[in-house]
Amino acid sequence: MPTTRTARRGAEVPAEAVAPLMRGIAVLRRLTEADGSLALGDLERATGLARSTVDRVTLTLARTGYVRIDGRTVTLAPRLMELGNAYLSSIRLPGLLGDRADALADELDETVSLAVPDGGGIRFVHQATRRRAMSLRFRIGDLLPVERTAPGTLFATLWGAGEWQAWRERRASDPEGEGFPSLPKRPCPADDLFEERVAAARADGWAVDDQLIEPGLLALAVPVRDPDGGFACVLSVVSHTSRHTAQGLREDLLPRLRDAASAMERRLRDAPPAGTSPSEGALASWTTASKQELGRGFVESLARGLTVVTAFGDGGAALTLSAVARATGLSRASARRALLTLEHLGYVTAEGRDHRLTPRVMALGYPPLSRTTLARIAGPHLSALAGRIQDSASLAVLADDSVQYVARAATHRIMDVDITVGTRFPAYATSLGRVLLADLPPADLAPLLDHAELRPLAPHTLTHRTELEAALERACVEGYALVDEELEAGLRSIAVPVRDRAGSAVASINVAMHSSSRTIEACLEEVLPELRLTAGHIESELHIAARFTQVPLM
């Protein structure tokens, strides 16, 4: 029987551990616990690292795109989610079962989640939420204690003596639950009550959380078994006492929850086996180039160690040392030291020659970043664009036959385009709207144009449908739209689309200016390339953030 190696609390640091990788992970953990942002001085105090070390670590993390540094403040960036995505991809549960959970949420009109165990806690790896005033949801990746959750009660039914002992030691060392900062503070249930609930769950095959997390919150959970009979994950539905009682929740929803779990189990049985041969990577050469460019400020061993985590995303649940080295481009010795370090910290577990990521990887920035919006993703990139071209830049989405501004970066010029977030304009008369209308399927575009009142808003507004359709066709072919004095006299703007993972234009960005500041030719030669570059940066982060989470547009 192969032996599984996992990190032990307080275990001695291995002699071959990569110290810079440990420091970098400590910085990411402190930023995560601070909800994603800390001043450099606070980060220094929180980690206990020297200021020079914090500066080098954060500079390296900024180079990888995992954080942004704005003056003295360090903020987690959406690209960091690729670490958590690697774990989620390796376990395959969100990809295989996510649509089933979404369908169940639609059927029940309640929030539905998938959870996995992490030591004496659980982490949610997928959620389908309901949009209502009393919204119930957890952040993907947050660590919650088993004793205060329905999924945790079920996972504890599988514990042996060692897991129960570790749980009791954790409760004794942290009676107030300080190790679970994402939860509201309240008295913890007595140990014997949890043990009774676990015994009942073992007999019943389901568990209920009756306001253990916080007053008013209810949850019902059932296991989803893997083909070997173990728990692949736990499926739960979350509601509120204003909609159900604990008994009513069980009576009304348990049969449908079990049916959904059975369908998920069939999906797992029928799924093809995971791949084990990730493609060869050139990440090591990238880190070497960064080191040559930035010198001592770039901690190459930190960047290389984090690439080891991303290697699991395409390679499947388990990878050998050779597979990790091949995927990252690292030498076997470097890959081995990185894996050894990650194993010591609890982010990797080893079974024979195989290595797997653990749910703890989700603690590296995923919870705060899982709530990001497209507007937040775009904000820093719009600011950088406005700074380069010295004209205001905006992000907008289509709202019926209008465009609505959801993010904006203004300049400090005396004469500037004054538009605020939330403003709406007719889509047909704006560059932002034209690129979005141009991306619509004919069946969706025709009704909008049928009901649109093409009024003259400025000297050159297109008011004939045939002219507008020709302009939309050009925008579709050319990938941009330029509007000159159609919304307002003297106003010229140029826009490009922002596309989601499926290639659909979900938003657009533009640069607006007074027509005297740049000619049309200058817009095309100077501004359009910068717009496309910025759209590419936004799309790159959007695609990472939206791989396993929903990213609202605003």
Side-chain angles (χ1 to χ4, degrees), residues 81 84-85 87-98 101-102 112-118 122-128 138-144 151 155 232-236 358-362 366 370 547-550:
M81 294 178 73
N85 285 348
Y87 167 73
L88 295 175
S89 177
S90 71
I91 63 173
R92 304 203 300 164
L93 294 175
L96 289 173
L97 308 182
D102 297 345
V112 171
S113 304
L114 300 175
V116 297
D118 186 359
I122 70 158
R123 296 186 194 270
F124 290 104
V125 296
H126 181 82
Q127 280 195 27
F138 299 95
R139 299 189 307 182
I140 298 294
D142 264 333
L143 183 66
L144 306 178
F155 286 126
C233 62
V234 164
L235 171 67
S236 65
T358 72
R360 190 173 297 182
V361 172
M362 302 291 288
Y366 219 88
S370 68
R547 185 173 181 186
F548 294 111
T549 63
Q550 295 181 348

Side-chain angles (χ1 to χ4, degrees), residues 207-229:
V208 169
D209 161 15
D210 188 358
Q211 306 182 75
L212 293 172
I213 291 289
E214 66 177 43
L217 187 146
L218 303 170
L220 174 67
V222 298
V224 177
R225 297 184 180 275
D226 60 32
D228 296 327

Side-chain angles (χ1 to χ4, degrees), residues 5-26:
R5 304 191 305 273
T6 55
R8 303 189 310 277
R9 184 181 297 273
E12 183 179 351
V13 178
E16 293 182 88
V18 183
L21 177 57
M22 297 177 67
R23 299 185 192 113
I25 287 177

Side-chain angles (χ1 to χ4, degrees), residues 118-173:
D118 186 359
I122 70 158
R123 296 186 194 270
F124 290 104
V125 296
H126 181 82
Q127 280 195 27
T129 60
R130 302 293 88 191
R131 295 181 66 87
R132 54 171 65 104
M134 184 64 70
S135 179
L136 299 173
R137 62 173 176 167
F138 299 95
R139 299 189 307 182
I140 298 294
D142 264 333
L143 183 66
L144 306 178
V146 289
E147 66 271 12
R148 288 177 64 179
T149 66
T153 303
L154 283 170
F155 286 126
T157 64
L158 304 179
W159 283 359
E163 287 92 348
W164 278 108
Q165 180 62 29
W167 176 76
R168 293 188 181 95
E169 291 176 357
R170 188 263 292 170
R171 292 270 290 186
S173 64

